[in-house]
Amino acid sequence: ELKVEQNPLFLSMQEGKNYTIYCNYSTTSDRLYWYRQDPGKSLESLFVLLSNGAVKQEGRLMASLDTKARLSTLHITAAVHDLSATYFCAVDATSGTYKYIFGTGTRLKVLA
Amino acid sequence: NAGVTQTPKFRILKIGQSMTLQCTQDMNHNYMYWYRQDPGMGLKLIYYSVGAGITDKGEVPNGYNVSRSTTEDFPLRLELAAPSQTSVYFCASSYSRGAPNEQFFGPGTRLTVL
């Protein structure tokens, strides 16, 4: 059974600081997705990582994928308050089936 | 495009009642999904569909049923509602051919079973 774990679960950080969120998964997969959820809202797609070594960047967020280590990271550079949200990674449970298993989520709070 | 729409937005059910949560997408996506999200938790896959007429169980299918008679619609049926089904339900869709297959989510249905 595929397990997807994120850490930390909660993260409180000061504006301007850098931090990394980790997503570990337990079985082989070459597709990994990052989503953002604002409180009381739905999820929106941030990044799609489709191969080993893939790196995507959007603004202050950068995501990477290491399929050999079964690890993805979401790096936050110079955090701002608007990045406060919950971030989820999701993995294709069996490669190519599009049956996604979500991680536990990381609740990020950026303090002004 | 309206994207993924869900109705109702909110609903309160009594134990033992039944209801159908509606989900429609207008992006011609072949894959559709139902998730539940309990307070402060991640998403759990209930059922998914790879196309009209084809459905399969996810992680937590017990107490739910689905059907997919058209590409656009993927209703979720709750039979004999129980308090454990109190949750926020999200419908999502994705396209499996060529595109990166990211999921697009509906706004959610907040369900309370009393």
Side-chain angles (χ1 to χ4, degrees), chain A residues 31 33 92 94-100, chain B residues 4 23-35 45 47-52 54-56 68 70-74 91-98 101-105:
Chain A
R31 293 173 180 266
Y33 306 80
D92 192 350
T94 304
S95 187
T97 65
Y98 310 105
K99 180 179 173 181
Y100 303 100
Chain B
V4 181
C23 175
T24 299
Q25 54 90 11
D26 62 358
M27 298 174 282
N28 201 31
H29 286 172
N30 50 342
Y31 279 65
M32 296 188 74
Y33 310 82
W34 275 106
Y35 295 93
L45 180 64
Y47 271 96
Y48 70 107
S49 169
V50 303
I54 307 169
T55 62
D56 203 354
R68 183 98 180 269
T70 67
T71 299
E72 295 78 20
D73 300 306
F74 190 40
C91 179
S93 70
S94 67
Y95 190 66
S96 71
R97 288 180 285 274
N101 317 119
E102 61 192 311
Q103 294 180 74
F104 294 84
F105 284 81

Side-chain angles (χ1 to χ4, degrees), chain A residues 23 25 29-34 48-56 63-73 91:
Chain A
C23 173
Y25 54 98
S29 179
D30 57 2
R31 293 173 180 266
L32 190 136
Y33 306 80
W34 284 96
V48 179
L49 303 169
L50 298 177
S51 61
N52 185 42
V55 177
K56 295 280 184 74
S64 65
L65 178 62
D66 181 345
T67 59
K68 293 176 182 166
R70 300 179 185 173
L71 171 69
S72 180
T73 60
V91 179

